[in-house]
Amino acid sequence: MSELKPELKNDRFIRALLKQPVDRTPVWMMRQAGRYLPEYRATRAKAGDFMSLCSNPEMACEVTLQPLDRYPAIDAAILFSDILTIPDAMGLGLYFETGEGPRFKNPVTTEADINALPVIDMDKDLTYVTDAVALIRHELNGRVPLIGFSGSPWTLATYMVEGGSSKDYAQTKSMMYKQPLVFQQLLDKLVLSITHYLNAQIKAGAQVVQIFDSWGGALSHAAYHEYSLKPMQRIIDGLIKENDGRKVPVILFTKGGGQWLESMVASGADCLGLDWTTDIANARKRVGDQVALQGNMDPAILYTSPERIRQEVKSILDSYGEGGGHIFNLGHGVTPQATPENVGAFFDAVKEFSAKSP
């Protein structure tokens, strides 16, 4: 692998993803630019609504950098965007209902709906995302690496078929089991669109990409492998492997997927994200040195106290043990109920407890 370019001043995160030696465990936090920060809420109010914020590259850049300015211990920036930008670009009409989360005006419920869906064209669609990536990368000026991301085909499909969030994915699973070929057509279009999307982010400056399989854990063993993992593997196979003279690592995160780690290793991902239901020591024993591991503190610990947060951070670090290949993170995204002070205690504790003696 080519040496990292010198303009990346903090390469700790990428080194850990590639299982190279690091001076301490790198840390970032899913949803680290979000509603728990008063500065984020102020920028969102200025934007008017969530999608106006996402689709404004300057504002997306601003909120991406806010947590880094507040917490110097953060080792990576993640693009501020949303996993549902792809279905929106396909014409489903994304909007947000207060208290209900994302909704689509035009869900896909029939074979005709799926046949009518376009594969996104990154030269015309979602240029606000790639513009934001390029601007963030410029403004970071090598401070830390930039993560790009997408939702997984299965996860995006659930929103597209259900018309929004769901507790049981009844309509999606009904289509999957009753009309498997039709459902596969939907996944095929999403595989192509997500591959184009992530490659465009890489070309624009993303140095790492993460695939968020938020709802993969809702599937049976066989269905997970067929309808979630296999499509993600196809995406990984189609990604740009090296850019700017360095490898572009891929993180695969299936919430609720701890039972499938061995299968996930075979996907070609460089790192597997763990939610808080998986013991990280057991996960490391199962995957060995084949991939890095990311995670996995329960976000609810952030509701407690700095002392309790420090205890949990140390416990997870001790559980992982010596050696590299660990990126500290939450087991899912930080929630608005977390206080900025407790989030700061989290980052500081990772830095303190993982630092190697000189």
Side-chain angles (χ1 to χ4, degrees):
M1 188 195 79
S2 302
E3 286 297 311
L4 293 169
K5 285 191 172 182
E7 75 266 15
L8 188 53
K9 302 175 183 75
N10 175 357
D11 66 355
R12 189 180 290 119
F13 172 57
I14 290 182
R15 292 182 67 84
L17 285 170
L18 301 178
K19 302 181 299 298
Q20 296 172 357
V22 290
D23 59 336
R24 66 167 175 84
T25 303
V27 59
W28 67 282
M29 188 172 65
M30 289 183 280
R31 296 198 197 123
Q32 68 187 14
R35 288 177 290 168
Y36 72 100
L37 289 176
E39 53 266 48
Y40 167 85
R41 294 195 297 271
T43 306
R44 177 168 171 169
K46 186 167 57 175
D49 58 64
F50 179 74
M51 282 308 295
S52 295
L53 178 54
C54 285
S55 58
N56 182 310
E58 289 75 22
M59 287 186 170
C61 177
E62 180 182 335
V63 297
T64 297
L65 299 181
Q66 284 170 351
L68 277 75
D69 293 338
R70 183 184 273 262
Y71 307 115
I74 294 178
D75 293 298
I78 183 166
L79 163 71
F80 182 80
S81 188
D82 192 85
I83 64 170
L84 299 181
T85 51
I86 287 179
D88 187 44
M90 288 176 155
L92 271 66
L94 177 63
Y95 67 101
F96 288 82
E97 284 284 356
T98 303
E100 292 185 21
R103 306 294 301 172
F104 285 115
K105 297 175 184 174
N106 309 306
V108 294
T109 57
T110 67
E111 183 175 4
D113 292 338
I114 293 171
N115 289 338
L117 286 174
V119 171
I120 63 168
D121 179 352
M122 286 306 300
D123 291 331
K124 297 185 296 184
D125 304 320
L126 300 174
T127 54
Y128 67 84
V129 174
T130 48
D131 288 347
V133 170
L135 181 59
I136 295 163
R137 176 72 185 274
H138 177 267
E139 292 300 314
L140 281 170
N141 192 30
R143 184 174 173 184
V144 293
L146 174 60
I147 306 167
F149 70 92
S150 173
S152 72
W154 159 255
T155 293
L156 297 189
T158 66
Y159 286 101
M160 295 169 74
V161 176
E162 304 290 336
S165 303
S166 174
K167 292 183 178 180
D168 58 11
Y169 316 100
Q171 296 179 74
T172 314
K173 288 187 176 184
S174 177
M175 181 185 289
M176 182 181 77
Y177 288 124
K178 290 181 178 178
Q179 299 175 284
L181 295 180
V182 172
F183 189 68
Q184 188 62 52
Q185 290 174 3
L186 174 57
L187 294 178
D188 288 345
K189 288 189 174 183
L190 286 168
V191 166
L192 289 172
S193 294
I194 293 166
T195 304
H196 295 333
Y197 186 54
L198 290 177
N199 279 337
Q201 290 184 43
I202 292 168
K203 290 176 183 176
Q207 293 146 294
V208 177
V209 293
Q210 174 158 318
I211 301 173
F212 283 87
D213 186 31
S214 304
W215 309 133
L219 289 165
S220 71
H221 178 81
Y224 173 75
H225 286 80
E226 182 66 26
Y227 297 111
S228 184
L229 185 58
K230 190 181 290 185
M232 289 192 291
Q233 184 166 358
R234 290 170 57 197
I235 292 166
I236 293 170
D237 288 345
L239 291 180
I240 295 168
K241 301 297 186 282
E242 187 172 306
N243 195 43
D244 290 339
R246 64 170 70 90
K247 180 178 171 64
V248 181
V250 180
I251 306 167
L252 191 160
F253 173 61
T254 293
K255 185 171 181 285
Q259 66 271 40
W260 300 311
L261 295 180
E262 291 83 357
S263 299
M264 292 161 68
V265 166
S267 69
D270 299 280
C271 177
L272 303 182
L274 305 174
D275 69 21
W276 64 91
T277 64
T278 298
D279 177 72
I280 199 166
N282 177 261
R284 188 180 186 190
K285 183 177 180 181
R286 288 162 59 194
V287 305
D289 62 357
Q290 298 176 88
V291 292
L293 292 174
Q294 178 173 279
N296 64 335
M297 194 178 91
D298 185 344
I301 299 292
L302 294 174
Y303 307 157
T304 59
S305 66
E307 294 75 18
R308 180 67 183 87
I309 291 164
R310 286 168 59 81
Q311 291 172 11
E312 192 70 15
V313 166
K314 189 173 189 307
S315 175
I316 292 169
L317 288 168
D318 289 346
S319 185
Y320 184 84
E322 294 295 321
H326 179 208
I327 296 93
F328 211 111
N329 207 312
L330 303 179
H332 202 228
V334 59
T335 63
Q337 293 81 10
T339 66
E341 294 72 24
N342 280 359
V343 170
F346 164 74
F347 286 124
D348 290 343
V350 176
K351 181 178 180 179
E352 176 187 346
F353 290 128
S354 69
K356 309 293 190 296
S357 299

